[in-house]
Amino acid sequence: MLKYNVEIKQLMLQPADFADKEVVVSGWAKTIRDQKAFAFISLQDGSYQEPLQLVVNRDNVSNYDELVHQGTGTAYTAKGKIVLTPAAKQPLEMQVTELILVGDCPADFPLQPKRHTVEYLRTIPHLRMRTNLLQAIFRIRSEAAYAIHEFFHNREFLYVHTPVITSNDAEGAGEMFQVTTLDLNNVPKTAAGEVDYSQDFFAKKTFLTVTGQLHAEAFAQCFKNVYTFGPTFRAENSNTTRHAAEFWMIEPEISFADINDAMNLAEAMLKHIIKQVLTRCPSEIAMLNKFVDKELIERLNHVLNSDFARVTYTEAIDLLQKSKRKFKYPVTWGSDIQTEHERYLAEEVFKSPVFVTDYPAAIKAFYMRQNEDGKTVAAFDCLVPGVGEIVGGSQREERMEKLLQAYAQKGLNVEEYAWYNELRRYGSAPHAGYGLGFERILMYLTGVANIRDVELFPRTAGNAMY
Amino acid sequence: MLKYNVEIKQLMLQPADFADKEVVVSGWAKTIRDQKAFAFISLQDGSYQEPLQLVVNRDNVSNYDELVHQGTGTAYTAKGKIVLTPAAKQPLEMQVTELILVGDCPADFPLQPKRHTVEYLRTIPHLRMRTNLLQAIFRIRSEAAYAIHEFFHNREFLYVHTPVITSNDAEGAGEMFQVTTLDLNNVPKTAAGEVDYSQDFFAKKTFLTVTGQLHAEAFAQCFKNVYTFGPTFRAENSNTTRHAAEFWMIEPEISFADINDAMNLAEAMLKHIIKQVLTRCPSEIAMLNKFVDKELIERLNHVLNSDFARVTYTEAIDLLQKSKRKFKYPVTWGSDIQTEHERYLAEEVFKSPVFVTDYPAAIKAFYMRQNEDGKTVAAFDCLVPGVGEIVGGSQREERMEKLLQAYAQKGLNVEEYAWYNELRRYGSAPHAGYGLGFERILMYLTGVANIRDVELFPRTAGNAMY
């Protein structure tokens, strides 16, 4: 078969290199317009936001009518000469000399060239990536993922795969999915009438992980700087635009390091991701800025060029209480900062991303390092304008006696954490880390309001298509 | 606190840059030898295979005895001058001027400096990465993962995250783990006495994915070149050295491409991974070559410099039948090629990696493209010397009528694949792909014989620690 030898992205980015050259492209038709003597096919191959215009001259191809009387979505391979078109919107077009109909596309193809709602597109996840919107989102998703690996690899961080199936319940919080091979129609029971997990695959009760942090800490306590980037799961029956049951998370963990080192790392990482996406996906970002969020480019550039502010939780509560703003949720020391508060701080007080630090111990997880004041812990959240919290992290409690106190205060069973405690027993070094929800940063990078549109096949309560 | 400002890897790779300079390092002691006036601490920080020697002069530090009478595993931060030692085994050492005991390590630390069996190390997964063997393996794991992303990113492949939780059973083969939030002590039943999945989290029966291929095909049919790199699961109760219940898989999928394009891609990918690991992990590879597999470097270089052979299944059967070798399993056209056959072909016939192509349709999956002969499919396996199969792939059946025939022949329910079939209905393009088990390639890269030693916290039948 005739093989394509260039991507449309290459043509678009380096038009001069291809002027008057003959090339072969393959892709799918967005639109086909037949004007009798000529037909115009706008072709996309998944590499670039803007289509390539194919100009098909009736005199140059046999079977002209059969070839061009086809629907949107038809797969073609085309050979022809690249002609620069400096006066047109697109930098070049192809004068076709050979056109091959690879796969036809009947008129019932659901993605005819008109506007489709995102709600409708979610009903056809296997096809919706063929729209301009989803094309842009998933190219940005891919580049953002690469930027993350690149960032940590450049800093000599070890990439670790923490287990997806776990017998730990990380925080005693978060509802978990159970993983089993038991027959639910006929669950084996012990003499005492309990589920007989000795017959389950792992001979114990197992779950899908909610975080790789605890396992990553084990690695950081000998590789020093490590990160995870893998799927995590929450069985929370919440039907919001920001929660999915399956999502990817990035969790760096750094040793011989404190809360400030972790915040510096988070700031540098966020800026690297934004910079690489702006650099590598300009046509995608431009499209999203035009059709999804008119402030997208401005907001991303603002974050890129801001020094992130830092404020303690106690100072933040003071700022919120002194504000004239009427909040839905009351502001009192000791309670959680709500999204409305987060956005007020980031958007109106600091007008930049802001780290809020040193939260009350009572509202944070057991593993966070206890401060000298006896009531706060070395935790931080990074709040960004337009979204609110995007990164959450902390220095970890490296002192055994303080960790044991925390279990007692939280009512956790110390036995469950025996292996984790041993990390404090043998050569314990101060360490810190954070978690970044990958889909959250993607929503920020694309301006897309619903997490269901930045995951390929989203898993939410009541929904696991295919 | 005093912060380290250099990694031991940097010192070791660029000694001249640090000659007579003062730096700060942090890490963990492998050994401590006190010789009264001096103590020698060999320190590792997880960045490099060989430790840095710290020379501590009794006259230079206060609390000398307390500082150096510590056990293996103790965490230290040390400041001092780097002195080149051209006559010694290591290129440099540190003359310590300030030594901080960060975290002590009592004598019950299980990893005292002596030889430990890999079987024993598997009982302490949270600590075993502190041994030289596991340090080497996990640094290679990290570099190999990066090399894979780098390879595909350089070729403009889209990185896609296919779902971990799925309602599809990909091949009708492979035992799957069920994912549920139902209470196993009290499973809700319908009036008919069946499990009432309407009450489960996703309102249907769901599983952990065994492959991302089908979902990746949906992406390839509009982004052209894509790859997955994520966890996959098999609930196979097999207790072998090569099978784990949770493992990571790389699955590229390419459109407007055939079986030869997929084989070319697999060959280039394998060579890129090997080349990058040899380049980036020379001290790790040298250690493994010395202690684990004395032919490792030779074997990797041989593969790097070989043109992979190609032979059809029918030709391979003929070669096996004509050989004088006594095989345990009989060789007949139509049956699977066993590991002993694979190794004979790669090691003795071709003396290089070899692609075996065009297997009988009856022993391969439904989605593989049917050849003109009516009995074989455009499948391939890549066999490498010393291991056997490492990559398996195929051209996919892009013709609807042929695909429908395959369901019928395999006894599969076409209704289950309605969305997958639509990819053939709308702009179907020839496409191909393959799967590479990440742990398999790691075993090949490290010479390690058991998959349990290349996964951090391995999940196998009866075993899911932490």
Side-chain angles (χ1 to χ4, degrees):
Chain A
M1 64 181 165
L2 182 64
K3 292 279 173 74
Y4 71 90
N5 58 19
V6 69
E7 312 273 352
I8 291 172
K9 181 179 178 180
Q10 290 169 265
L11 298 175
M12 294 294 190
L13 292 183
Q14 291 136 5
D17 291 0
F18 295 95
D20 302 321
K21 297 236 168 85
E22 184 170 78
V23 298
V24 182
V25 295
S26 291
W28 293 268
K30 287 298 282 188
T31 58
I32 304 175
R33 285 176 296 134
D34 178 19
Q35 303 193 334
K36 300 277 167 72
F38 291 90
F40 299 99
I41 300 174
S42 67
L43 194 81
Q44 282 186 321
D45 68 356
S47 70
Y48 199 71
Q49 200 62 30
E50 302 296 331
L52 173 68
Q53 174 149 280
L54 309 183
V55 184
V56 186
N57 186 326
R58 181 181 285 272
D59 298 336
N60 289 351
V61 295
S62 50
N63 305 326
Y64 173 91
D65 289 307
E66 190 200 330
L67 283 173
V68 307
H69 293 168
Q70 297 290 340
T72 289
T74 298
Y76 286 109
T77 291
K79 188 178 189 175
K81 193 171 78 169
I82 294 300
V83 178
L84 300 191
T85 52
K89 191 175 151 240
Q90 291 305 323
L92 46 75
E93 64 185 25
M94 175 188 268
Q95 302 282 359
V96 174
T97 54
E98 187 178 350
L99 185 64
I100 296 167
L101 175 63
V102 175
D104 67 349
C105 194
D108 65 350
F109 180 52
L111 296 173
Q112 297 303 323
K114 60 166 192 132
R115 214 174 165 83
H116 304 279
T117 65
V118 288
E119 291 77 14
Y120 169 68
L121 292 176
R122 284 178 212 138
T123 67
I124 47 169
H126 59 306
L127 298 175
R128 66 173 173 157
M129 307 82 78
R130 303 182 186 196
T131 61
N132 286 339
L133 175 65
L134 281 288
Q135 285 256 317
I137 292 168
F138 287 108
R139 275 198 295 275
I140 289 171
R141 185 174 171 118
S142 176
E143 287 296 346
Y146 192 73
I148 289 163
H149 285 300
E150 187 179 54
F151 175 81
F152 288 113
H153 189 263
N154 288 348
R155 281 172 167 70
E156 302 276 0
F157 276 56
L158 195 86
Y159 176 33
V160 300
H161 296 107
T162 49
V164 173
I165 297 171
T166 180
S167 51
N168 270 123
D169 180 351
E171 307 189 29
E175 292 177 67
M176 297 176 85
F177 289 101
Q178 189 168 350
V179 174
T180 184
T181 54
L182 295 177
D183 177 2
L184 267 56
N185 268 306
N186 188 14
V187 175
K189 299 280 171 81
T190 62
E194 295 293 303
V195 177
D196 182 5
Y197 283 110
S198 73
Q199 296 187 44
D200 207 349
F201 188 87
F202 296 110
K204 62 168 75 163
K205 198 171 180 182
T206 53
F207 307 94
L208 291 181
T209 187
V210 296
T211 168
Q213 179 198 319
L214 303 194
H215 299 88
E217 283 187 57
F219 278 83
Q221 290 291 298
C222 84
F223 287 103
K224 208 162 66 176
N225 295 326
V226 308
Y227 74 106
T228 73
F229 188 171
T232 49
F233 304 85
R234 300 281 159 87
E236 279 163 29
N237 203 339
S238 57
N239 188 21
T240 80
T241 57
R242 289 163 56 85
H243 292 88
E246 174 177 333
F247 55 100
W248 284 62
M249 190 134 78
I250 297 98
E251 297 181 281
E253 196 69 34
I254 52 178
S255 289
F256 300 97
D258 60 21
I259 182 176
N260 289 306
D261 297 312
M263 289 191 287
N264 292 341
L265 186 71
E267 180 171 343
M269 179 198 68
L270 290 171
K271 288 178 174 174
H272 180 81
I273 300 170
I274 291 171
K275 181 163 158 277
Q276 294 302 76
V277 166
L278 286 172
T279 305
R280 292 181 179 152
C281 304
S283 69
E284 289 79 6
I285 291 286
M287 194 282 283
L288 293 165
N289 196 75
K290 191 165 171 190
F291 293 109
V292 175
D293 177 353
K294 300 220 180 299
E295 291 169 9
L296 179 63
I297 294 175
E298 189 188 327
R299 195 175 63 234
L300 294 177
N301 276 315
H302 176 66
V303 170
L304 198 54
N305 298 311
S306 299
D307 285 326
F308 290 18
R310 295 185 187 191
V311 62
T312 67
Y313 169 89
T314 301
E315 290 162 351
I317 292 295
D318 199 45
L319 286 166
L320 291 167
Q321 285 176 336
K322 283 186 181 146
S323 81
K324 305 277 180 271
R325 182 65 62 98
K326 284 256 180 295
F327 294 113
K328 190 176 156 206
Y329 292 92
V331 176
T332 51
W333 199 99
S335 57
D336 246 333
I337 297 183
Q338 302 294 326
T339 301
E340 59 173 342
H341 309 142
E342 292 175 345
R343 293 191 58 172
Y344 174 78
L345 289 168
E347 288 162 31
E348 304 197 30
V349 180
F350 294 98
K351 297 183 169 55
S352 80
V354 53
F355 288 107
V356 179
T357 66
D358 303 298
Y359 284 78
I363 59 170
K364 288 289 183 182
F366 74 90
Y367 51 71
M368 297 186 174
R369 192 175 196 275
Q370 296 163 46
N371 288 329
E372 297 303 307
D373 64 15
K375 51 184 191 170
T376 63
V377 289
F380 69 91
D381 282 348
C382 181
L383 318 180
V384 292
V387 168
E389 188 208 325
I390 199 162
V391 165
S394 75
Q395 188 165 339
R396 316 309 189 188
E397 185 55 79
E398 88 280 14
R399 299 161 298 184
M400 182 75 93
E401 71 284 6
K402 295 282 186 187
L403 190 58
L404 296 175
Q405 279 173 25
Y407 293 127
Q409 278 159 11
K410 304 268 178 196
L412 296 170
N413 179 4
V414 63
E415 302 294 320
E416 297 253 320
Y417 299 92
W419 70 269
Y420 184 73
N421 296 336
E422 287 198 349
L423 302 177
R424 277 68 187 166
R425 180 164 173 80
Y426 302 124
S428 184
H431 59 293
Y434 61 82
L436 168 72
F438 187 51
E439 283 76 12
R440 286 280 171 88
I441 184 77
L442 286 174
M443 291 168 72
Y444 194 67
L445 289 166
T446 59
V448 163
N450 196 312
I451 195 166
R452 289 164 184 77
D453 299 325
V454 297
E455 295 200 308
L456 325 185
F457 298 89
R459 273 72 181 101
T460 53
N463 179 39
M465 281 179 84
Y466 313 154
Chain B
M1 63 183 168
L2 182 64
K3 292 276 174 76
Y4 72 89
N5 57 20
V6 69
E7 311 272 353
I8 291 173
K9 180 179 179 179
Q10 290 170 265
L11 298 176
M12 293 295 189
L13 292 183
Q14 293 137 4
D17 292 359
F18 295 96
D20 301 321
K21 296 235 169 84
E22 185 170 77
V23 300
V24 182
V25 295
S26 290
W28 292 268
K30 287 297 282 187
T31 59
I32 305 175
R33 286 176 297 134
D34 178 20
Q35 304 194 330
K36 300 281 165 69
F38 291 90
F40 299 99
I41 300 174
S42 68
L43 195 82
Q44 282 186 321
D45 69 357
S47 69
Y48 199 70
Q49 200 63 29
E50 301 297 329
L52 173 67
Q53 175 150 277
L54 309 182
V55 183
V56 186
N57 186 327
R58 180 181 286 273
D59 298 339
N60 287 352
V61 296
S62 50
N63 306 326
Y64 174 90
D65 289 307
E66 190 200 331
L67 283 173
V68 307
H69 293 167
Q70 296 291 342
T72 289
T74 298
Y76 287 108
T77 292
K79 188 178 188 175
K81 194 171 79 171
I82 294 300
V83 178
L84 300 191
T85 53
K89 191 176 150 241
Q90 290 307 322
L92 47 73
E93 63 185 26
M94 175 187 269
Q95 302 282 357
V96 174
T97 53
E98 187 178 349
L99 186 65
I100 295 166
L101 175 62
V102 175
D104 67 350
C105 193
D108 66 350
F109 180 52
L111 296 172
Q112 297 304 321
K114 60 166 191 133
R115 214 173 164 83
H116 305 279
T117 66
V118 289
E119 290 77 15
Y120 169 68
L121 293 175
R122 284 178 211 139
T123 68
I124 47 168
H126 58 306
L127 298 175
R128 66 173 174 157
M129 308 82 79
R130 303 182 187 196
T131 62
N132 285 338
L133 175 64
L134 281 287
Q135 286 255 316
I137 293 168
F138 287 108
R139 276 198 294 275
I140 289 171
R141 187 176 170 116
S142 176
E143 287 295 347
Y146 192 73
I148 289 163
H149 285 300
E150 189 179 53
F151 174 81
F152 288 113
H153 189 263
N154 288 348
R155 281 171 168 69
E156 303 275 0
F157 277 56
L158 194 86
Y159 177 31
V160 300
H161 296 108
T162 48
V164 174
I165 298 171
T166 179
S167 50
N168 270 125
D169 180 350
E171 307 190 29
E175 293 177 64
M176 298 176 85
F177 289 101
Q178 189 169 349
V179 174
T180 184
T181 53
L182 295 178
D183 178 2
L184 267 56
N185 269 305
N186 190 12
V187 176
K189 299 280 172 80
T190 62
E194 295 294 304
V195 176
D196 182 5
Y197 283 110
S198 73
Q199 296 187 47
D200 206 349
F201 188 87
F202 296 110
K204 61 168 77 164
K205 198 171 179 182
T206 53
F207 307 94
L208 291 180
T209 186
V210 296
T211 169
Q213 178 198 318
L214 303 194
H215 299 87
E217 283 186 57
F219 278 85
Q221 290 291 302
C222 83
F223 287 103
K224 208 162 64 177
N225 294 326
V226 307
Y227 74 107
T228 72
F229 189 171
T232 49
F233 304 85
R234 299 280 159 88
E236 279 164 28
N237 204 338
S238 58
N239 188 22
T240 80
T241 57
R242 288 162 57 84
H243 293 88
E246 173 177 335
F247 56 99
W248 284 62
M249 192 133 78
I250 297 98
E251 297 181 281
E253 196 69 35
I254 52 179
S255 289
F256 300 96
D258 59 22
I259 181 175
N260 289 306
D261 297 311
M263 289 191 285
N264 292 342
L265 186 71
E267 180 171 343
M269 179 198 69
L270 289 171
K271 288 178 174 175
H272 180 81
I273 299 170
I274 292 171
K275 181 164 158 275
Q276 294 303 75
V277 166
L278 286 173
T279 305
R280 291 181 180 152
C281 304
S283 70
E284 288 79 6
I285 291 287
M287 193 282 283
L288 293 165
N289 195 74
K290 191 167 170 189
F291 293 110
V292 175
D293 178 352
K294 298 216 182 302
E295 290 168 8
L296 180 63
I297 294 176
E298 190 188 324
R299 195 174 63 236
L300 294 177
N301 275 314
H302 176 65
V303 171
L304 199 53
N305 298 310
S306 301
D307 285 326
F308 291 18
R310 295 185 187 190
V311 62
T312 67
Y313 168 89
T314 302
E315 290 162 349
I317 292 294
D318 199 43
L319 287 167
L320 291 167
Q321 286 176 335
K322 284 186 180 147
S323 80
K324 303 278 179 272
R325 181 67 61 98
K326 284 258 179 295
F327 293 113
K328 190 175 157 205
Y329 292 91
V331 177
T332 51
W333 199 100
S335 56
D336 246 331
I337 297 183
Q338 301 294 325
T339 302
E340 58 172 345
H341 309 142
E342 292 175 345
R343 294 192 57 172
Y344 174 77
L345 290 168
E347 289 162 31
E348 305 195 31
V349 179
F350 294 99
K351 296 182 169 58
S352 80
V354 53
F355 288 106
V356 179
T357 65
D358 303 298
Y359 285 78
I363 60 170
K364 289 289 182 183
F366 74 89
Y367 50 72
M368 297 187 175
R369 192 175 197 275
Q370 295 163 46
N371 287 329
E372 297 303 308
D373 64 15
K375 51 184 191 169
T376 64
V377 288
F380 69 92
D381 283 348
C382 181
L383 318 180
V384 292
V387 168
E389 187 208 324
I390 200 163
V391 164
S394 74
Q395 187 165 339
R396 317 308 189 188
E397 185 54 78
E398 89 280 13
R399 299 161 297 185
M400 181 75 94
E401 71 284 5
K402 296 282 185 183
L403 191 57
L404 295 175
Q405 279 171 23
Y407 294 127
Q409 277 158 10
K410 304 268 178 197
L412 296 170
N413 179 4
V414 62
E415 301 294 319
E416 297 255 321
Y417 300 92
W419 70 269
Y420 184 72
N421 296 337
E422 286 197 350
L423 303 177
R424 277 71 186 165
R425 181 166 172 78
Y426 301 123
S428 184
H431 59 294
Y434 61 82
L436 168 72
F438 186 51
E439 283 75 13
R440 286 280 172 88
I441 184 76
L442 286 175
M443 292 168 72
Y444 194 68
L445 290 166
T446 59
V448 164
N450 196 313
I451 197 168
R452 290 164 184 78
D453 299 324
V454 299
E455 296 199 308
L456 325 185
F457 298 88
R459 272 72 180 100
T460 53
N463 180 39
M465 282 179 82
Y466 314 156

